[in-house]
């Protein structure tokens, strides 16, 4: 039986990926190596814990011994979801981002090289292209990251590509756009706003709210990663985007309506994020050329996501306590 090592599989996109693979690839086993940071939540995969094709290893990708333990006798591929991902946190504490997103990637690359693992897929982000005022970023564009988060992800990408050039390490990179859906930690725009609104609290819109993101459903993102892993050409980068550009204020309006609140009472414009990228947009022709295409309609996907948070309060309620409240205060109190 084939075995894939997934790192960071207790996070948002990783857990959705593991669920998809177990469902759609009955001939595959998954090993999940996860450090269980604040964003790695065992509840994200409670439903697959008993599956005989799923195994969990607790450990950090920066620790070569933990990576060796997870690889065990060998794996057919490594998919690296393990990362610090939140831009606002990277502004408060950049070092954790450098460590996991760059050094952790390096440790995995070394393991792939030494153990001659046939495939390594690095899950990256469209944020490495930086702010794009017009047009769409394509994979051959120069990268111009502008936040400590995107600079760290870009550092990881460059090392991955350098291993391809230097050692012919069999690598692939996906650059996904802003992702939404079930099991997203409630610090990001959509889950933060939905859970605040369900709680009858205000939502903090940065600046004028006219920043644009291209929204991608997590199921489409996970399927895109699986597709690139199985059919991508080694040494290549593939953009994965939903093709749903929306301003933050448009998103806010939909969420406010869906939760039965009003813009006047529930929206608070707060001081903008420093260095805030206005717009991201990706050209996805290359992923489409190998047969991937997003399936989820955005309006439907967003409505279903709101319904999911409404129905799964026992999942998110415990997350909005302790560490989260400290973070929320540091992030928003002074705005
Ligand atoms: P986010 O979900 O943090 O993703 P990213 O910064 O990686 O794109 O933010 C999405 C957009 O929403 C971004 O333009 C910042 C904005 N935003 C707010 O206006 N208020 C908030 O409280 C958050 C978390 C984000």
């Amino acid at each position: 039986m084939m075995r894939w090592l997934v790192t960071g599989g207790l996070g948002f996109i990783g857990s959705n990926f593991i669920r998809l693979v177990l469902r759609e690839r009955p001939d595959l086993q998954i090993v999940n190596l996860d450090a269980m940071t604040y964003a790695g939540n065992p509840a994200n995969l409670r439903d697959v814990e008993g599956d005989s094709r799923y195994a969990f290893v607790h450990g950090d990708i920066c620790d070569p011994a933990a990576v060796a333990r997870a690889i065990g006798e060998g794996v057919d591929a490594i998919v690296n979801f393990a990362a610090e991902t939140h831009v606002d946190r990277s502004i408060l504490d950049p070092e954790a981002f450098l460590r996991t997103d760059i050094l952790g990637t390096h440790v995995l690359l070394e393991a792939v090289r030494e153990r001659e693992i046939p495939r390594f897929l690095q899950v990256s982000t469209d944020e490495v292209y930086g702010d794009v005022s017009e047009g769409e970023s394509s994979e051959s564009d120069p990268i111009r990251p502008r936040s400590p988060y995107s600079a760290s992800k870009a550092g990881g990408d460059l090392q991955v590509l350098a291993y391809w050039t230097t050692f012919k390490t069999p690598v692939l990179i996906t650059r996904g756009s802003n992702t939404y859906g079930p099991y997203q930690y409630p610090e990001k725009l959509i889950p933060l706003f939905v859970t605040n609104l369900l709680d009858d609290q205000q939502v903090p819109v940065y600046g004028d709210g006219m920043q644009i993101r291209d929204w991608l459903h997590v199921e489409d993102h996970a399927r895109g990663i699986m597709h690139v892993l199985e059919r991508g050409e080694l040494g290549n980068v593939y953009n994965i985007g939903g093709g749903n550009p929306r301003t933050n204020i448009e998103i806010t309006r939909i969420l406010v309506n869906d939760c039965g609140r009003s813009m006047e009472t529930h929206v608070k414009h707060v001081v903008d994020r420093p260095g805030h990228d206005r717009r991201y947009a990706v050209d996805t022709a290359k992923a489409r050329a190998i047969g991937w295409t997003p399936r989820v309609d955005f309006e439907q996907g967003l409505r279903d996501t709101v319904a999911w948070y409404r129905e799964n309060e026992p999942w998110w309620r415990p997350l909005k306590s302790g560490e989260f409240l400290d973070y929320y205060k540091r992030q928003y109190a002074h705005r």
Side-chain angles (χ1 to χ4, degrees):
M1 214 183 234
M2 291 239 292
R3 239 154 62 97
W4 289 353
L5 169 59
V6 171
T7 64
L10 291 183
F12 167 47
I13 309 176
S15 62
N16 278 282
F17 176 81
I18 289 176
R19 196 174 289 104
L20 176 76
V21 172
L22 290 174
R23 195 169 66 226
E24 299 201 353
R25 295 291 181 272
D27 53 341
L28 254 164
Q29 291 180 339
I30 296 280
V31 183
N32 175 13
L33 173 66
D34 195 290
M36 300 178 77
T37 65
Y38 77 94
N41 181 358
N44 293 4
L45 281 180
R46 195 117 294 151
D47 53 330
V48 310
E49 270 171 8
D51 194 319
S52 60
R53 292 183 295 128
Y54 172 75
F56 178 73
V57 176
H58 182 204
D60 186 337
I61 58 166
C62 296
D63 172 10
V67 172
R69 233 179 327 118
I71 292 172
E73 308 276 279
V75 292
D76 300 283
I78 298 181
V79 188
N80 182 28
F81 290 91
E84 291 293 334
T85 66
H86 193 41
V87 175
D88 293 319
R89 284 188 193 253
S90 83
I91 295 167
L92 295 174
D93 177 20
E95 201 168 307
F97 288 72
L98 283 134
R99 202 179 112 75
T100 301
D101 302 5
I102 301 179
L103 187 64
T105 301
H106 163 76
V107 169
L108 293 174
L109 285 168
E110 276 297 296
V112 171
R113 190 154 80 98
E114 257 177 56
R115 301 290 305 269
E116 298 184 345
I117 291 162
R119 256 165 199 245
F120 175 76
L121 188 145
Q122 171 77 349
V123 178
S124 186
T125 164
D126 63 354
E127 299 193 25
V128 298
Y129 296 115
D131 194 50
V132 283
S133 52
E134 53 190 54
E136 294 178 335
S137 306
S138 75
E139 292 85 349
S140 55
D141 285 357
I143 52 178
R144 302 182 201 282
R146 292 165 18 99
S147 73
Y149 161 64
S150 55
S152 301
K153 287 301 287 183
D157 282 19
L158 290 173
Q159 190 71 342
V160 170
L161 294 172
Y163 267 60
W164 166 251
T165 305
T166 312
F167 307 114
K168 283 288 167 287
T169 305
V171 302
L172 294 152
I173 295 177
T174 55
R175 293 188 180 144
S177 66
N178 278 69
T179 305
Y180 72 99
Y183 299 103
Q184 188 169 27
Y185 188 82
E187 64 188 350
K188 299 272 168 45
L189 178 74
I190 290 177
L192 174 68
F193 280 22
V194 173
T195 55
N196 274 12
L197 290 164
L198 292 175
D199 259 352
D200 204 9
Q201 283 176 32
Q202 287 192 309
V203 296
V205 172
Y206 297 162
D208 62 4
M210 295 304 286
Q211 303 84 0
I212 294 174
R213 299 290 184 266
D214 171 10
W215 293 96
L216 171 66
H217 193 274
V218 67
E219 182 112 4
D220 282 330
H221 194 165
R223 206 178 282 287
I225 290 165
M226 189 163 80
H227 204 91
V228 169
L229 183 64
E230 292 177 331
R231 308 202 198 162
E233 197 182 322
L234 292 177
N236 276 255
V237 179
Y238 293 86
N239 290 340
I240 301 180
N244 303 297
R246 298 288 188 283
T247 62
N248 293 340
I249 211 75
E250 284 178 274
I251 300 288
T252 305
R253 189 164 293 123
I254 298 171
L255 301 180
V256 163
N257 280 337
D258 266 21
C259 295
R261 310 293 182 202
S262 93
M263 294 292 279
E264 290 68 35
T265 53
H266 281 74
V267 172
K268 185 175 178 210
H269 283 267
V270 301
V271 174
D272 208 352
R273 174 188 282 171
H276 198 171
D277 290 336
R278 288 295 280 185
R279 177 175 176 269
Y280 303 128
V282 283
D283 179 347
T284 57
K286 193 167 165 184
R288 288 170 194 268
I290 57 164
W292 173 81
T293 181
R295 300 178 183 176
V296 181
D297 170 77
F298 179 67
E299 273 66 33
Q300 186 64 45
L302 194 54
R303 232 176 291 129
D304 291 349
T305 299
V306 174
W308 188 87
Y309 284 89
R310 201 191 288 282
E311 285 156 21
N312 288 275
E313 188 176 329
W315 177 84
W316 60 262
R317 177 70 61 198
L319 300 178
K320 291 191 102 174
S321 65
E323 194 277 345
F324 177 86
L325 294 179
D326 294 341
Y327 162 75
Y328 202 79
K329 212 156 96 199
R330 273 176 87 197
Q331 189 61 249
Y332 295 99
H334 61 281
R335 286 180 131 123

